[in-house]
């Protein structure tokens, strides 16, 4: 036998239906017995209005009127029940239950109705979000606002999971009309206002001195490995950084232009070959020296910024050979005063064996058809040279490979015994 479970709602429906059926059938059952259950002493209502009534009053009926039956009995009309519609619109399942009751069949309490009737309440759970998150293919975005809140839900009143910095890179995985679902580099996932993101790389403004950490690093026209290479820089090359993102730095070039270099090739730490400090001399004056421990290198750094003066060899001014002459004279070593004399002075060493303190001799007269030494400088390590530049009118630090890229020829490298 099929078993059913009666819900409380269905129990009420069934009881109301049975009660109504009984009330309807009762007069019919009472007529053969001559019984009267509905106010027998009430006079019958005729179609003519009484003298106490006006025609308009006879037409205004505020309550259901009793009706005369064929047997002469006065029968009250049924009161209008709201639930009477239930008997008129019962589902097939309800009809089946009533039929089983009429047959005296057992109805099991574990019955569960398979279908809902139009009067059943349907629980849909929480209201569906008005603006659901649309999943999208993961793509990169950059934070265009400063200290942007990362929230747990796409709502301004939801919990803040942390803040994102200007220029930070995030991965977008979903979005709504106003919000974007993102994941940051720390693995945090949440929502931010879409207006605070950009598809272009965003640079955080800075003003820093940075140094190249590797040899032959590309300086590019744009923040991409596909951008044009503007120059190749040596290790310890000094640069001015004006902006930084997650992966790239924006660099100010010597002519005031803009270039880009990957962050992993830069450091803000001054390289050992460029570190300087202040040291007191016996005369009470101070001298800026390098911490390398090499006396020649220390003195070379102390001369940075000294004016270029042709034919001079002092702190008031030097030319290229005058710089070498002055430095070595401070440690008691006599060296040539003319650049061309370094062709055979000291010991020749290879470029791969070059060490701080060595003198680099150059031929700066391009395309004259012969090789001659016209310029000298001191190697200070890290791929750099200090020399008195007639172009910049002072003593400067320059990358050896960059200086060579100007089309100048390295003639020889001389090591001087100290």
């Amino acid at each position: 036998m099929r078993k059913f479970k009666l819900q409380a709602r269905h129990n009420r429906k069934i009881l109301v239906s049975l009660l109504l059926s009984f009330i309807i059938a009762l007069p019919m059952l009472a007529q053969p017995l001559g019984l009267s259950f509905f106010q027998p002493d009430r006079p019958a209502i005729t179609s003519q209005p009484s003298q106490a009534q006006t025609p308009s009053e006879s037409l205004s009926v505020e309550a259901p009127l009793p009706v005369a039956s064929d047997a002469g009995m006065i029968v009250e009309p049924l009161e209008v029940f709201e639930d009477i519609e239930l008997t008129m619109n019962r589902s097939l399942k309800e009809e089946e239950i009533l039929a089983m009751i009429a047959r005296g069949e057992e109805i099991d309490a574990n019955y569960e109705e398979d279908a809902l009737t139009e009067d059943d309440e349907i629980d849909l759970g929480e209201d569906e979000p008005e603006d659901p998150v649309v999943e999208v293919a993961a793509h990169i975005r950059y934070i265009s606002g400063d200290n942007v809140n990362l929230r747990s839900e796409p709502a301004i009143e939801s919990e803040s999971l942390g803040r994102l910095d200007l220029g930070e890179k995030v991965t977008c995985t979903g979005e709504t009309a106003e919000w974007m679902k993102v994941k940051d580099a720390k693995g945090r996932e949440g929502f931010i206002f879409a207006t605070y993101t950009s598809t272009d790389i965003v640079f955080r403004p800075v003003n820093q001195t940075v140094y190249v950490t590797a040899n032959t690093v590309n300086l590019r026209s744009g923040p991409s490995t596909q951008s044009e290479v503007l120059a190749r820089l040596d290790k310890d090359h000094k640069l001015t950084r004006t902006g930084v993102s997650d992966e790239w730095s924006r660099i100010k070039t010597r002519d005031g232009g803009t270039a880009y270099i990957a962050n992993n090739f830069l450091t803000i730490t001054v390289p050992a070959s460029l570190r300087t400090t202040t040291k007191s001399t016996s005369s009470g004056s101070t001298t800026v020296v390098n911490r390398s421990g090499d006396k020649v290198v220390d003195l070379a750094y102390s001369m940075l910024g000294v004016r270029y003066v042709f034919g001079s060899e002092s702190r008031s001014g030097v030319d290229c050979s005058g710089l070498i002459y002055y430095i070595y004279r401070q440690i008691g070593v006599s060296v040539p005063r003319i650049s061309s004399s370094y062709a055979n002075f000291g010991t020749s060493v290879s470029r791969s064996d070059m060490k701080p303190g060595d003198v680099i001799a150059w031929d700066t007269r391009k395309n004259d058809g012969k090789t001659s030494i016209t310029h000298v400088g001191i190697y200070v390590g890290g791929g750099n040279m200090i020399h008195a530049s007639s172009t910049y009118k002072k003593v400067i630090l320059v990358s050896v490979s960059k200086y060579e890229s100007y089309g100048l020829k390295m003639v020889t490298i001389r090591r001087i015994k100290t």
Side-chain angles (χ1 to χ4, degrees), residues 85-104:
E85 293 183 3
L86 299 176
T87 63
M88 304 301 295
N89 296 295
R90 286 197 295 263
S91 67
L92 293 177
K93 190 67 65 178
E94 292 172 342
E95 296 291 350
E96 183 178 355
I97 294 171
L98 292 174
M100 293 176 66
I101 293 173
R103 295 194 299 269

Side-chain angles (χ1 to χ4, degrees), residues 125-193:
E126 296 182 0
D127 292 339
E128 186 175 339
E130 294 181 1
D131 195 9
V133 177
V134 178
E135 299 297 322
V136 298
H139 61 273
I140 300 300
R141 290 268 181 162
Y142 298 90
I143 302 302
S144 59
D146 202 13
N147 291 323
V148 176
N149 276 306
L150 179 68
R151 298 194 177 276
S152 59
E153 300 293 339
I156 196 169
E157 65 274 10
S158 64
E159 177 189 3
S160 175
L161 304 177
R163 294 179 180 270
L164 302 174
D165 294 329
L166 179 69
E168 192 170 340
K169 183 173 70 173
V170 295
T171 302
C172 173
T173 58
E175 56 188 327
T176 72
E178 295 182 350
W179 295 84
M180 191 163 287
K181 185 179 182 182
V182 299
K183 186 175 184 179
D184 70 0
K186 299 176 183 177
R188 298 179 301 181
E189 196 165 12
F191 295 85
I192 59 175
F193 273 120

Side-chain angles (χ1 to χ4, degrees), residues 331-360:
I331 62 173
V333 177
S334 179
V335 296
R337 180 60 184 81
I338 301 174
S339 299
S340 59
S341 299
Y342 283 91
N344 298 306
F345 185 82
T347 303
S348 176
V349 296
S350 64
R351 184 166 184 166
S352 60
D353 190 35
M354 187 164 53
K355 295 181 179 180
D358 290 344
V359 176
I360 305 175

Side-chain angles (χ1 to χ4, degrees), residues 116-131:
L116 295 170
T117 68
E118 61 181 3
D119 295 311
D120 287 324
E121 294 181 1
I122 302 175
D123 183 13
L124 297 178
E126 296 182 0
D127 292 339
E128 186 175 339
E130 294 181 1
D131 195 9

Side-chain angles (χ1 to χ4, degrees), residues 59 76 130 141 199 208-209 211 214 222 249 284 286 296 389 393:
L59 297 175
E76 289 281 7
E130 294 181 1
R141 290 268 181 162
T199 54
Q208 296 176 318
T209 297
Y211 303 89
S249 286
T286 58
V296 173
S389 171
K393 304 301 181 184

